Amino acid sequence: MRINGQKFHTIWFDINHPETVKIIDQQKLPFEFCIKSLHSFHDAFVAIKDMTVRGAPLIGVTAAFGMYLGLYGCTSELPADEYTNVLAREMKTARPTAVNLSYAVDLVMNALQGCDSFAEMAGKALETAMQLKQSEIDSSSAIGDFGLTLIEQVAVQKPGKPVNILTHCNAGWLACIDWGTALAPVYKAHEKGIPVHVWVDETRPRNQGSKLTAFELLNEGIAHTVITDNTGGHLMQHGLVDLVLVGSDRTTRRGDVCNKIGTYLKALAARDNGIPFYVALPTSSIDFSISDGLTEITIEERNGDEVRSIEGKDGKAQVVPDNSPVYNIGFDVTPAKLVTALITEKGIFAASEESIFRLLGSQTSV
Ligand code: MRU
């Protein structure tokens, strides 16, 4: 995607500066566009933890580069396997919900098998991070192509009128490396000249929709309107939403979907109004080891200050009385029964164990 005409990924490595990995600082968006350098494992860990980078695929790729930074120029006296196990264990604790984090760390750890020096390990870790980065770009693009077919189906039924899509949080290129998950089909539709309009929410607790998704759509010249999180149901009741498209941080093998807090309420409203509710995700976001999303996914609890205050262009403002307790969880689970279909890089799947296992690995659709 482009910022002021220049092509950017959310994370990149320059062979001329092998001690550094660059990222876009998402804490500063949309008001400032800043590039930050990661120089160490610790820098990468903190960038994930404090959400300088965020979004499931980007968390995974950053973790892989973080493992590389931990190995580059390493002079530890610990035995190599002990040292890498410490890194891997620590990196996996940076954020608990997105499965891409442990997926990426495990990919790197597997690639390190058989290496016999830190220098060789660093080379393997870098190669793995670069490959994962490319595979996430390819997955996002393929998700866009599959999801485009769903937007096209709606578009032919309302010629000349925009397809109204509601999305929650930011599942665009900022959450990935390029294209995005939920927003990839929107970008592909726009490129093809199909009129689309996006309702943008997650206006609390972190305003990822109003800050990041709005920033992305504005940049790409795509019609959009920011709404409060409470508005979606009303829009659906009044025929103003054709489909809901969201991302996922962890999808279980039976198709339960864990995404930014508030996603579940959108799914309930969509079901009540007969509106399709699609979840777009790379297969790196599927956790095949678990089935029941409600009991088996660790939901991230974040600092209550995110609820106590709102941070905006002009600074921070407290919006809760001094002594009121707050509860701030980052994600919720939408059960498979409320999901119309999963859009992945391998095709469009019913959200069910049978469909996921039968169809994964072949290019197909529901
Ligand atoms: O807390 P965040 O900003 O990392 O949460 C991001 C989301 O919930 C996205 O929808 C999710 O990662 C899926 S998309 C790429």
Side-chain angles (χ1 to χ4, degrees):
M1 293 290 152
R2 288 176 191 278
I3 308 284
N4 298 328
Q6 193 185 337
K7 191 155 177 27
F8 275 97
H9 287 156
T10 49
I11 186 165
W12 64 97
F13 170 79
D14 176 353
I15 194 71
N16 298 314
H17 298 282
E19 70 293 346
T20 306
V21 172
K22 297 262 174 85
I23 55 171
I24 296 172
D25 185 343
Q26 301 197 23
Q27 293 216 46
K28 297 216 162 58
L29 291 173
F31 309 117
E32 280 175 65
F33 183 78
C34 293
I35 292 165
K36 200 165 177 174
S37 296
L38 307 178
H39 300 289
S40 64
F41 172 88
H42 181 72
D43 285 354
F45 176 86
V46 171
I48 295 170
K49 195 171 179 60
D50 73 6
M51 295 179 67
T52 305
V53 292
R54 27 66 54 199
L58 178 57
I59 289 171
V61 174
T62 308
F65 277 113
M67 294 293 289
Y68 158 69
L69 289 171
L71 288 161
Y72 178 77
C74 176
T75 54
S76 170
E77 293 194 347
L78 285 178
D81 58 340
E82 203 177 310
Y83 177 75
T84 52
N85 279 328
V86 169
L87 292 189
R89 259 200 314 276
E90 191 178 342
M91 186 57 88
K92 286 183 183 183
T93 66
R95 287 188 75 190
T97 301
V99 71
N100 303 63
L101 177 57
S102 52
Y103 171 83
V105 171
D106 289 343
L107 270 185
V108 174
M109 290 299 280
N110 288 337
L112 300 184
Q113 305 268 338
C115 291
D116 43 33
S117 69
F118 281 128
E120 193 187 346
M121 285 180 161
K124 275 280 172 213
L126 178 61
E127 189 184 305
T128 309
M130 298 292 273
Q131 279 166 359
L132 178 62
K133 176 180 166 180
Q134 188 56 48
S135 99
E136 290 296 3
I137 295 171
D138 296 343
S139 292
S140 286
S141 178
I143 287 168
D145 292 333
F146 283 114
L148 168 64
T149 63
L150 300 171
I151 295 177
E152 282 173 328
Q153 283 165 23
V154 178
V156 293
Q157 283 160 31
K158 46 184 313 197
K161 293 201 184 125
V163 177
N164 283 305
I165 298 161
L166 186 144
T167 193
H168 187 69
C169 190
N170 174 260
W173 73 273
L174 288 170
C176 303
I177 313 302
D178 204 353
W179 291 107
T181 55
L183 291 189
V186 174
Y187 291 133
K188 298 267 178 169
H190 182 68
E191 265 187 11
K192 233 184 147 179
I194 297 169
V196 284
H197 167 263
V198 185
W199 296 110
V200 175
D201 64 27
E202 208 285 78
T203 40
R204 290 299 272 152
R206 287 189 57 94
N207 294 66
Q208 306 281 70
S210 60
K211 286 181 173 170
L212 303 177
T213 299
F215 170 82
E216 281 195 25
L217 294 173
L218 201 60
N219 238 337
E220 296 301 316
I222 295 178
H224 65 282
T225 308
V226 176
I227 52 175
T228 68
D229 287 345
N230 307 320
T231 306
H234 171 88
L235 297 175
M236 293 185 209
Q237 286 173 321
H238 290 271
L240 295 169
V241 179
D242 295 305
L243 56 116
V244 180
L245 249 175
V246 297
S248 169
D249 282 78
R250 193 180 290 246
T251 298
T252 73
R253 63 171 182 268
R254 75 174 186 201
D256 291 348
V257 169
C258 185
N259 192 48
K260 181 58 50 175
I261 189 82
T263 302
Y264 170 53
L265 292 177
K266 300 290 147 26
L268 283 175
R271 175 56 55 96
D272 191 44
N273 290 283
I275 292 165
F277 182 90
Y278 296 113
V279 182
L281 64 143
T283 48
S284 57
S285 297
I286 301 178
D287 184 347
F288 292 96
S289 72
I290 59 169
S291 174
D292 180 359
L294 279 183
T295 58
E296 295 181 275
I297 297 178
T298 304
I299 301 287
E300 177 176 18
E301 183 167 353
R302 300 192 55 82
N303 194 317
D305 287 347
E306 291 177 355
V307 174
R308 273 185 212 100
S309 310
I310 296 184
E311 237 182 302
K313 191 172 181 179
D314 301 322
K316 213 169 176 176
Q318 184 177 330
V319 290
V320 174
D322 282 344
N323 297 319
S324 288
V326 299
Y327 181 45
N328 182 23
I329 52 166
F331 297 89
D332 62 22
V333 173
T334 299
K337 66 181 179 194
L338 295 178
V339 177
T340 308
L342 304 173
I343 308 168
T344 77
E345 78 277 14
K346 296 187 188 292
I348 303 176
F349 295 65
S352 72
E353 188 153 348
E354 194 206 350
S355 169
I356 289 173
F357 277 95
R358 187 160 40 87
L359 299 178
L360 209 78
S362 63
Q363 297 279 337
T364 185
S365 62
V366 170

